[in-house]
């Protein structure tokens, strides 16, 4: 009897908690990054053998769970295609169905990334909802969740794009994917959407990244609690980003900044967030973001325009980044611009030109390059300045001398640069453009893309 009891105990010990478990990321309908070595991971009994077999080549991959009950495997993916099946075996077997191979993008930020066609009064592009039957676009939309400590998993699932699922998903992300597919014919696109309206950037990066930097730590400590979401460092990162780390992506899209209006160090904050994500993924993936639109944040400060300028400055701080300016398709009385199609298209055009190298069009508006002074005149030079033109009669340029008191300047376009003059400034030293929270750019290039606000004062 004692021998039989031992046998029964060993059998129970071997079979208890024996099931291989996968994070929710690895589930039916998912999209895996093409032509890559993608990481699978999960949990199993310590020392349990785990095998993965893929239908695209029949190859068998093996590993064993560690004494921490964790395992991971690197799987080679082919060029785009599908649907495929993937079998994961331990003491049990999990079969994942309808798997596509294509391009995966992480889409994060606050409400303007989260915003769907169902949001409030809807988006400007509601006529697109009924056309959204596209089974090769997939959404993995993460519900809002916060945690004091980094999490290993979250609750979400992959959805096939239909008019109904598109209506509940990020509109900007959808139009990004749709535009990608116009050039990347037949290539599936997976959209991992992790966004939370009204949240500052500090909650989207690891806490230690903030605490070890005195400037960022001070900025984080100055954030005031709000009703609609966390403001403590890393709370959304821990619950909504950390469980994704390691899942191979082509790049990231970011639409955030409104909740950081008033921060004097947002350029450092955003740059640090970008670097922290790339460090965790071990990859300098493209990071494309949307400059916030002009809005009525108040007339007694420059908080909104300072964030826009900080976002512009990040382009020079972090490589492989891109920014789209959208103040020509927004209104200053709405913090949620309704035209999400233009936003998605402009983000996609950045990716098509800079990452995929298959689009020849102009994807950026005029970006401030430098200035020069000559006999009381100021010359302002831009990148992407071909076909430089202004709309309307008002000049949005201001110049100042050593005293940094700014005056309106007359502007004149010549040879794709702009000449500024003011009778009130004899020796100009500083220039700023569209320098108000509500001011929309009126300088464009031949692609009809607007210039970003800027100042040379700091």
């Amino acid at each position: 009897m004692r021998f039989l009891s031992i046998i029964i105990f060993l059998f129970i010990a071997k079979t208890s908690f024996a099931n291989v478990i996968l994070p929710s990321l690895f589930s039916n309908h998912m999209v895996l990054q093409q032509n890559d070595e993608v990481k699978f991971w999960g949990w199993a009994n310590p020392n349990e053998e785990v095998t993965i077999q893929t239908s695209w080549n029949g190859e068998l991959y093996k590993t064993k769970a560690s004494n921490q009950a964790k395992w991971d495997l690197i799987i080679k993916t082919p060029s785009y295609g599908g649907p495929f099946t993937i079998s994961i075996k331990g003491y049990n077997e999990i079969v994942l169905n309808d798997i596509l191979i294509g391009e995966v993008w992480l889409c994060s930020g606050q409400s303007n990334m989260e915003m769907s066609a169902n949001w409030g009064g809807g988006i400007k592009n509601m006529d697109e909802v009924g056309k959204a039957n596209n089974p090769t676009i997939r959404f993995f939309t993460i519900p809002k969740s916060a945690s004091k400590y980094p999490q290993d998993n979250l609750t979400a699932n992959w959805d096939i794009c239909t008019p109904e699922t598109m209506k509940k998903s990020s509109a900007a992300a959808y139009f990004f994917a749709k535009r990608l597919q116009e050039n990347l014919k037949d290539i599936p696109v997976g959209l991992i959407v992790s966004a939370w309206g009204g949240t500052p950037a500090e909650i989207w990066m690891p806490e230690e990244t903030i605490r070890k930097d005195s400037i960022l730590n001070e900025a984080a400590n100055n954030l005031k609690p709000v009703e609609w979401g966390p403001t403590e460092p890393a709370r959304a990162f821990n619950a909504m980003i950390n469980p994704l780390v390691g899942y191979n992506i082509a790049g990231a899209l970011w639409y955030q900044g409104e909740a950081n209006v008033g921060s004097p160090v947002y350029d450092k904050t955003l740059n640090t967030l970008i670097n922290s994500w790339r460090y965790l993924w071990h990859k300098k993936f493209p990071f494309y973001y949307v400059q916030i639109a002009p809005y009525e944040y108040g007339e007694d400060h420059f908080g909104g325009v300072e964030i826009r300028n900080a976002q512009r400055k990040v382009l020079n701080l972090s490589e492989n980044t891109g920014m789209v300016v959208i103040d020509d398709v927004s209104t200053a009385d709405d913090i949620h611009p309704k035209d999400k199609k233009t936003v998605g298209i402009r983000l996609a055009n950045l990716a098509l030109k800079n990452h995929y190298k298959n689009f020849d069009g102009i994807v950026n508006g005029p970006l401030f390059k430098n200035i020069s002074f000559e006999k009381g005149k100021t010359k302002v030079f831009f990148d992407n300045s071909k076909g430089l033109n202004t709309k309307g009669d008002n000049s949005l340029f201001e110049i100042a001398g050593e005293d940094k008191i700014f005056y309106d300047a007359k502007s004149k376009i010549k040879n794709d640069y702009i000449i500024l003059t003011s009778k009130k400034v004899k020796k100009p030293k500083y220039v700023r453009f569209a320098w108000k929270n509500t001011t929309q750019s009126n300088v464009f290039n031949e692609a009809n893309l607007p210039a970003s606000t800027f100042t040379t004062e700091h």
Side-chain angles (χ1 to χ4, degrees):
M1 287 295 293
R2 184 182 177 193
F3 177 75
L4 181 60
S5 297
I6 292 173
I7 295 297
I8 292 172
F9 172 79
L10 291 174
F11 176 78
I12 293 172
K14 188 174 179 67
T15 56
S16 296
F17 310 104
N19 285 349
V20 170
I21 300 172
L22 295 172
S24 62
L25 262 171
F26 300 100
S27 53
N28 294 336
H29 315 305
M30 71 177 175
V31 181
L32 294 173
Q33 185 61 34
Q34 69 169 330
N35 293 319
D36 207 347
E37 293 185 338
V38 304
K39 180 181 175 182
F40 272 68
W41 69 89
W43 302 271
N45 267 6
N47 207 40
E48 180 179 352
E49 183 176 84
V50 178
T51 65
I52 295 181
Q53 190 167 30
T54 61
S55 70
W56 55 81
N57 60 9
E59 192 166 343
L60 193 66
Y61 302 85
K62 295 183 179 181
T63 190
K64 285 189 176 182
S66 70
N67 63 358
Q68 305 296 310
K70 295 181 179 180
W71 59 268
D72 63 71
L73 270 171
I74 302 299
I75 307 297
K76 292 183 178 179
T77 55
S79 295
Y80 67 92
F84 299 108
T85 60
I86 301 174
S87 171
I88 302 95
K89 289 183 181 180
Y91 296 132
N92 62 315
E93 180 179 10
I94 301 171
V95 178
L96 303 181
N97 296 299
D98 188 32
I99 307 305
L100 299 182
I101 308 293
E103 295 295 306
V104 182
W105 286 81
L106 172 58
C107 312
S108 189
Q110 54 182 104
S111 55
N112 275 303
M113 179 61 80
E114 180 187 354
M115 187 174 173
S116 67
N118 273 351
W119 184 288
I123 58 175
K124 178 182 177 181
N125 324 102
M126 291 300 290
D127 60 314
E128 296 283 350
V129 174
K131 307 173 188 176
N133 266 313
N134 193 331
T136 60
I137 294 176
R138 307 283 171 89
F139 295 99
F140 188 81
T141 302
I142 297 167
K144 298 180 182 70
S145 181
S147 175
K148 188 175 181 179
Y149 304 104
Q151 301 299 300
D152 291 330
N153 203 358
L154 45 76
T155 303
N157 55 272
W158 286 92
D159 289 318
I160 300 170
C161 183
T162 65
E164 191 58 33
T165 57
M166 177 269 181
K167 199 161 51 175
K168 299 181 291 186
S169 305
S170 167
Y174 167 76
F175 288 117
F176 170 83
K178 185 181 179 185
R179 172 69 186 111
L180 281 190
Q181 289 191 332
E182 290 177 9
N183 276 39
L184 307 178
K185 301 295 184 183
D186 301 320
I187 296 183
V189 179
L191 301 166
I192 301 174
V193 181
S194 185
W196 191 332
T199 54
E202 285 84 355
I203 76 165
W204 292 100
M205 69 180 94
E207 184 169 3
E208 62 270 22
T209 302
I210 294 173
R211 297 307 185 197
K212 70 183 181 182
D213 187 294
S214 60
I215 294 174
L216 296 181
N217 191 45
E218 181 181 0
N221 290 338
N222 287 333
L223 291 170
K224 294 179 173 58
V226 295
E227 296 178 359
W228 50 84
T231 56
E232 301 91 341
R235 291 304 199 266
F237 170 84
N238 289 337
M240 300 174 66
I241 297 294
N242 193 69
L244 312 174
V245 173
Y247 194 89
N248 291 42
I249 59 176
L253 307 179
W254 179 254
Y255 197 165
Q256 190 275 338
E258 295 90 345
N260 281 98
V261 166
S263 170
V265 295
Y266 187 76
D267 50 342
K268 182 178 180 67
T269 302
L270 180 55
N271 184 52
T272 302
L273 181 147
I274 295 168
N275 290 335
S276 70
W277 286 13
R278 287 173 171 173
Y279 174 81
L280 291 168
W281 261 270
H282 306 292
K283 181 182 180 182
K284 288 188 177 179
F285 51 73
F287 191 101
Y288 302 135
Y289 55 95
V290 183
Q291 186 184 68
I292 65 171
Y295 181 66
E296 299 166 344
Y297 293 103
E299 296 300 321
D300 59 339
H301 63 85
F302 295 108
V305 70
E306 285 171 347
I307 293 295
R308 301 205 301 272
N309 188 54
Q311 290 172 319
R312 179 190 65 84
K313 289 163 68 175
V314 170
L315 294 172
N316 296 320
L317 296 175
S318 188
E319 62 181 331
N320 201 16
T321 56
M323 179 184 77
V324 297
V325 180
I326 62 159
D327 62 10
D328 59 322
V329 292
S330 64
T331 57
D333 62 349
D334 191 352
I335 202 170
H336 300 114
K338 299 297 189 291
D339 184 355
K340 290 297 185 273
K341 183 175 182 179
T342 299
V343 173
I345 288 172
R346 289 181 182 177
L347 285 169
N349 285 344
L350 278 178
L352 289 169
K353 187 178 183 75
N354 299 333
H355 182 64
Y356 296 109
K357 312 293 184 185
N358 77 341
F359 180 63
D360 294 328
I362 298 171
V363 297
N364 291 110
L367 282 170
F368 171 74
K369 186 176 182 181
N370 55 48
I371 54 176
S372 67
F373 305 101
E374 182 181 344
K375 297 179 180 178
K377 294 182 179 180
T378 304
K379 294 181 181 179
V380 184
F381 299 89
F382 299 85
D383 290 322
N384 318 307
S385 62
K386 188 176 180 182
L388 202 67
N389 66 91
T390 58
K391 295 183 180 181
D393 298 327
N394 294 332
S395 171
L396 301 180
F397 289 92
E398 300 170 85
I399 56 177
E402 188 71 34
D403 58 8
K404 294 187 178 181
I405 298 175
F406 282 89
Y407 298 92
D408 293 340
K410 292 182 179 180
S411 61
K412 179 181 179 182
I413 296 174
K414 183 179 181 181
N415 300 328
D416 292 334
Y417 64 87
I418 292 178
I419 300 174
L420 305 178
T421 57
S422 173
K423 293 180 179 179
K424 295 181 178 180
V425 184
K426 302 300 181 184
K427 292 183 179 181
K429 186 174 181 179
Y430 303 103
V431 176
R432 64 190 189 189
F433 169 70
W435 200 252
K436 287 183 179 179
N437 292 336
T438 56
T439 299
Q440 295 170 278
S441 175
N442 65 350
V443 174
F444 296 79
N445 58 13
E446 68 174 8
N448 202 33
L449 293 172
S452 168
T453 189
F454 71 88
T455 182
T456 64
E457 184 182 1
H458 47 71

